[in-house]
Amino acid sequence: LVDGKMSDISAIELVYLLRYEHKVMTPIWFFSEVNKQAYLTKALEVGVNRIFQKPFDPIALSNEIIHYVLHLN
């Protein structure tokens, strides 16, 4: 889970580092207050699997995580 609003490093840069430097392959769910298509496209390009716009539905998020965990194999 990555929040699009971070203070020390950009969220896009963090996802890039996770994917390409540290080779993390687990799904990355990204939470964004920014609704600009170029920003969201960049997030997907660097490896975000799913984007949730803030405010988001916590039930939908929980259901998605549960679905992922139950279908790992």
Side-chain angles (χ1 to χ4, degrees):
L1 304 174
V2 175
D3 193 324
K5 187 174 184 178
M6 301 173 61
S7 59
D8 293 340
I9 185 174
S10 84
I12 300 291
E13 185 178 353
L14 174 63
V15 173
Y16 178 87
L17 290 171
L18 289 171
R19 287 289 193 230
Y20 297 99
E21 299 290 325
H22 298 287
K23 308 296 185 201
V24 172
M25 299 314 297
T26 57
I28 296 176
W29 287 290
F30 188 77
F31 302 89
S32 180
E33 293 175 349
V34 178
N35 198 18
K36 294 185 179 177
Q37 191 57 46
Y39 179 76
L40 301 176
T41 298
K42 185 67 175 173
L44 293 169
E45 288 173 353
V46 298
V48 167
N49 295 92
R50 178 81 161 83
I51 297 172
F52 284 88
Q53 290 296 131
K54 290 182 181 178
F56 61 91
D57 178 1
I59 301 297
L61 173 62
S62 297
N63 288 338
E64 198 162 315
I65 292 171
I66 290 167
H67 181 267
Y68 172 77
V69 169
L70 292 175
H71 295 93
L72 281 174
N73 295 329

